[in-house]
Amino acid sequence: FSHWNSDIQVQKYFQQADFVCHKLSEGTAYTDPKSLARAKFFNGSKPVIWYHLVRPDKGNQPEAEAQHFVSGLKKIATYGMFGIALDLEIMYVPNTLQMLEWVIRCVREIRKTFEQPVFIYIGDLYAKAWYDRLPMEECVFWIARYRDTMPDHQCVLWQNTDRFNGEQLDHDECYVDLKTLWLLCGSDDVEKVIAQSGFTPE
C-alpha cells in the first residue's frame, strides 16, 4: 500500500491479508502522508513492513536517506513492531556495483537504530552480484516478478502482480511462516515478540 490506495481499499484488504507492506518515506525529505494514520489503523495486529524508496539518483548520501527513514520509523514504533525495507526502483549511475555499495551503507546506518534485517525490494533481473554480495545476516530479499513463476532467487517475499483481483493493488506471497515473519519484524518488546510468535521463552 501507499497513499495512492484509498482508505476503503486498505481496510478491505488488510482484513484479508496475513501481512501488509506500506510506503513510509522517500529520499531525504518525503514522508507518505497516509503512513501515520495507517500505522494507527494497523496497530501491530499483523506483520507490517514499512518501506523507503531510495533516491541515490538525486545525489543523496545513503546515511542521510537512512536517517530520514529511521526518523519516520521512530514515529510509528508506538503502534507495534514492524519489518523494514528499502525499495530499489531507481538505479544509481554509473554502475550497479556502486549502487550495491550505496545500499549496504544505507542498511548499516538503519541497523544502528533498528537491528532487524532489512528487506531489499528489487526486480528479479538485477545482477547476480546483488544476491551473492549483500550480507545475509543484515538483508533478506523481496522480489518483484510479475509472472506466474516464482523468482529465480531465494526470497522471503514475492510481489507477483500490481493488478490483484482486477484492482490497482500490489500482491505479495510470503515464503516463511507467520511466526518467522513476526520475528523478522524485530522489536525490543521481548514479551510481545514471544506472545506473537507462539514460541516459549526458552
Side-chain angles (χ1 to χ4, degrees):
F1 300 129
S2 73
H3 73 280
W4 293 110
N5 300 101
S6 69
D7 290 341
I8 292 175
Q9 190 181 50
V10 170
Q11 291 165 10
K12 172 185 174 182
Y13 283 101
F14 181 72
Q15 300 304 321
Q16 299 178 20
D18 293 317
F19 65 94
V20 297
C21 308
H22 199 292
K23 184 173 184 176
L24 177 59
S25 53
E26 178 177 337
T28 58
Y30 177 82
T31 299
D32 189 295
K34 289 282 189 175
S35 57
L36 187 59
R38 299 268 170 83
K40 292 178 181 178
F41 171 68
F42 300 150
N43 199 32
S45 59
K46 297 178 180 180
V48 178
I49 297 158
W50 294 95
Y51 68 88
H52 171 85
L53 177 63
V54 302
R55 296 304 305 265
D57 59 310
K58 299 290 188 181
N60 298 335
Q61 291 299 305
E63 291 79 11
E65 291 217 9
Q67 289 161 12
H68 176 55
F69 186 28
V70 164
S71 69
L73 292 171
K74 287 180 177 178
K75 292 176 182 176
I76 64 172
T78 186
Y79 301 109
M81 58 186 173
F82 47 76
I84 51 182
L86 294 179
D87 182 351
L88 277 53
E89 297 184 40
I90 310 295
M91 283 301 294
Y92 178 57
V93 177
N95 63 60
T96 58
L97 289 181
Q98 284 185 313
M99 178 69 177
L100 178 62
E101 178 59 30
W102 192 100
V103 170
I104 290 173
R105 286 170 57 191
C106 190
V107 165
R108 289 181 174 164
E109 184 68 21
I110 292 167
R111 296 186 78 247
K112 289 178 182 178
T113 304
F114 296 100
E115 296 182 352
Q116 61 263 48
V118 178
F119 287 83
I120 304 296
Y121 174 86
I122 60 177
D124 199 25
L125 299 178
Y126 274 61
K128 192 174 186 297
W130 284 81
Y131 301 92
D132 294 338
R133 295 183 61 178
L134 277 170
M136 290 299 96
E137 73 278 7
E138 300 179 57
C139 303
V140 291
F141 288 109
W142 173 15
I143 298 178
R145 180 186 174 95
Y146 297 163
R147 306 179 196 173
D148 293 334
T149 55
M150 64 184 297
D152 298 329
H153 299 280
Q154 184 176 5
C155 61
V156 173
L157 301 179
W158 168 28
Q159 186 182 105
N160 54 19
T161 183
D162 61 355
R163 292 292 184 273
F164 184 64
N165 279 354
E167 299 186 46
Q168 189 171 344
L169 184 74
D170 294 337
H171 181 266
D172 297 272
E173 293 187 5
C174 185
Y175 289 100
V176 297
D177 61 28
L178 283 177
K179 292 179 182 179
T180 303
L181 190 59
W182 269 120
L183 294 176
L184 289 171
C185 299
S187 170
D188 60 2
D189 187 342
V190 177
E191 291 184 0
K192 184 171 183 179
V193 172
I194 291 170
Q196 294 285 4
S197 72
F199 293 122
T200 65
E202 292 77 16

